[in-house]
Amino acid sequence: MNNETLLIITDVFPNPSSLSEGTFIFNRVAHLQKHIKKVHVLYLNSVMNRYFKWNYIRDFNTIDLPGIETDITVSTINYPNIPYFRRFILTMCLQWFVNTKKCSLIHFHFLWNVFATKYLNKHNIPYVVTCHGSDINALPLTSQSHARRSIQQLNQAPFTMFVSKGLYTHARKLGYIKESFEIIPNGIDSSIFCLSKHIKKKPYHIGFVGWLDQIKRAHLLPDIFMYIKKQLPNLSMVVVGKGYLKKELENKIKEYKIGTDFVLKGVLSPIELAKEMQAMQVLLLPSIREGWGCVILEAQACGAAVVGTNVGGIPEAIGPGGTVVDDDDQFIQSFSEAVIALLKHPISEDVLTKRAMRFNWERLLLKEYAVYQRILNAYKK
């Protein structure tokens, strides 16, 4: 693919407004650049963000962002998130971009970012769609017509990648019928997420990493903590992330009087996050749904076992490196007991790290690169 031009389209990527956004896409691009000379990133930015604040972002280079040393040029499309108008703007901009950059292959990340397919088909430009989780898992919660159109669009894609077998199975249940697909999970940066000789595990120390929202069930964290603390009084917990449930967590922390042992850290850089994971014994992931869960492998690489809900791609990601808990009426009790068991009987750090290292980006991206070559060869015939 030395003479080919790859275009990555995504609505999550590290940017001047949010350095930690879409690091899994960033890592993909960083490793693909080792094999493909011309890789362009098209970042789709809604000028009105989730907090209803104006958020215009100009074109930028990741090397200019604090803490990032990788040189990736990012072109930005700023658009108003208004149905139909959004699609019209994105379609026109993509057509211009493809013509200008002479793109050979388009890779859409997330099903909701797929557009201009009629134009791509007309000009015989192949494209790939990677489904990461919420773009498939949330479809049953939308209107039937929207879900039907989305699956139809997925069935029309020349090739699809799913980040887990669980996500692929869910897509099948919703009507996905194509056989041109591959399971390629998101990976870890093993140079950052690994065991540390300088940071020791804190006894009975647990953690959570992710959005503070209902999908991640962040509101249950203080209750799970209190249940465990009754049996293990020396328990401590760190919560890394941001979201609309932060205030509810703060109120529960005050109500339960656990401020010294239950700490909210906000968003951290990958290096800072790795340090927190290196100090954990167990990571908690009580999500309602999850496509894959990169934090699972990152935690395991740092020597922390994981307890997660038995949904989506979580069981695949955890493997023998932790415990999955069924989502039932006794969830808080069952989940807490699983954490207690791992705190009392830890899994060997060597077992955890060796498994996690199988998911390093270089290994996974060679598989993705092979898919690109296969698609381009098929289109040249």
Side-chain angles (χ1 to χ4, degrees):
M1 285 187 65
N2 287 336
N3 297 321
E4 309 289 354
T5 300
L6 171 66
L7 176 61
I8 304 286
I9 297 178
T10 177
D11 61 349
V12 290
F13 205 78
N15 63 77
S17 296
S18 181
L19 297 176
S20 61
E21 181 180 298
T23 53
F24 55 97
I25 307 291
F26 168 83
N27 284 319
R28 263 185 157 88
V29 176
H31 283 83
L32 282 171
Q33 285 188 152
K34 298 177 183 179
H35 305 281
I36 307 171
K37 288 185 178 180
K38 299 176 183 178
V39 182
H40 297 289
V41 176
L42 195 57
Y43 174 57
L44 313 182
N45 176 58
S46 173
V47 290
M48 191 71 74
N49 67 15
R50 69 184 71 199
Y51 302 108
F52 302 102
K53 294 181 180 178
W54 184 258
N55 186 38
Y56 184 89
I57 298 176
R58 299 181 183 277
D59 296 352
F60 62 95
N61 194 299
T62 55
I63 204 168
D64 297 324
L65 301 178
I68 296 180
E69 299 179 356
T70 305
D71 186 353
I72 300 174
T73 300
V74 181
S75 299
T76 304
I77 299 178
N78 293 282
Y79 65 90
N81 200 5
I82 302 172
Y84 302 110
F85 192 50
R86 170 187 183 270
R87 181 164 292 276
F88 173 77
I89 291 177
L90 296 181
T91 297
M92 296 302 294
C93 289
L94 177 60
Q95 291 179 14
W96 177 87
F97 201 90
V98 169
N99 285 329
T100 304
K101 302 295 183 180
K102 307 298 182 185
C103 300
S104 312
L105 177 64
I106 315 297
H107 192 157
F108 295 100
H109 283 276
F110 292 98
L111 180 55
W112 54 59
N113 289 326
V114 178
F115 55 94
T117 54
K118 289 183 179 179
Y119 172 84
L120 296 176
N121 290 332
K122 180 180 178 181
H123 293 274
N124 202 38
I125 300 173
Y127 63 94
V128 182
V129 180
T130 289
C131 297
H132 289 275
S134 52
D135 46 353
I136 296 294
N137 292 330
L139 284 179
L141 305 178
T142 64
S143 66
Q144 289 185 356
S145 59
H146 173 74
R148 187 170 56 252
R149 286 196 304 272
S150 297
I151 292 300
Q152 183 181 20
Q153 194 169 43
L154 197 61
N155 280 323
Q156 293 172 348
F159 202 93
T160 303
M161 300 182 195
F162 298 93
V163 295
S164 69
K165 292 178 182 176
L167 189 62
Y168 162 71
T169 300
H170 194 183
R172 280 289 187 193
K173 291 178 181 178
L174 294 174
Y176 178 67
I177 60 174
K178 294 286 287 291
E179 296 299 329
S180 51
F181 71 91
E182 194 79 66
I183 310 295
I184 303 180
N186 290 317
I188 61 169
D189 186 340
S190 55
S191 67
I192 296 176
F193 296 95
C194 55
L195 290 175
S196 172
K197 297 179 180 179
H198 309 291
I199 299 176
K200 294 183 178 180
K201 297 288 181 188
K202 297 178 183 178
Y204 303 130
H205 183 58
I206 60 178
F208 168 88
V209 178
W211 280 101
L212 306 182
D213 60 15
Q214 293 283 347
I215 294 174
K216 301 291 185 183
R217 274 201 279 225
H219 58 292
L220 296 184
L221 295 174
D223 300 289
I224 293 171
F225 177 84
M226 289 299 293
Y227 185 102
I228 300 171
K229 196 170 179 64
K230 288 177 182 178
Q231 296 191 43
L232 303 173
N234 293 329
L235 184 73
S236 62
M237 182 170 187
V238 60
V239 174
V240 179
K242 65 179 181 179
Y244 61 83
L245 290 181
K246 180 182 177 183
K247 189 63 179 178
E248 182 176 336
L249 288 179
E250 290 174 339
N251 291 337
K252 281 191 174 183
I253 290 171
K254 290 179 182 178
E255 179 185 348
Y256 298 163
K257 298 178 181 179
I258 53 176
T260 55
D261 299 321
F262 191 105
V263 180
L264 303 180
K265 287 275 188 174
V267 177
L268 301 179
S269 69
I271 293 175
E272 292 170 326
L273 175 59
K275 290 178 181 179
E276 293 294 340
M277 288 181 166
Q278 286 159 356
M280 292 178 196
Q281 280 188 277
V282 181
L283 176 79
L284 282 56
L285 194 63
S287 305
I288 293 174
R289 55 180 184 265
E290 196 80 47
W292 175 244
C294 268
V295 292
I296 293 171
L297 297 169
E298 290 169 346
Q300 290 176 345
C302 294
V306 183
V307 175
T309 318
N310 188 15
V311 296
I314 290 179
E316 290 173 63
I318 290 180
T323 306
V324 293
V325 178
D326 290 335
D327 189 358
D328 55 26
D329 295 338
Q330 303 297 317
F331 181 74
I332 291 179
Q333 178 181 340
S334 302
F335 196 93
S336 301
E337 291 291 348
V339 176
I340 291 169
L342 285 175
L343 289 172
K344 289 183 175 180
H345 307 286
I347 298 173
S348 165
E349 290 184 356
D350 288 338
V351 170
L352 293 169
T353 55
K354 284 180 181 178
R355 179 180 184 277
M357 292 307 165
R358 289 167 41 204
F359 295 90
N360 69 77
W361 277 114
E362 189 62 32
R363 185 169 178 266
L364 294 173
L365 266 298
L366 285 175
K367 193 174 181 181
E368 192 158 302
Y369 178 71
V371 170
Y372 290 160
Q373 289 184 309
R374 196 159 74 240
I375 294 171
L376 287 170
N377 289 338
Y379 265 70
K380 288 177 181 178
K381 291 180 180 179

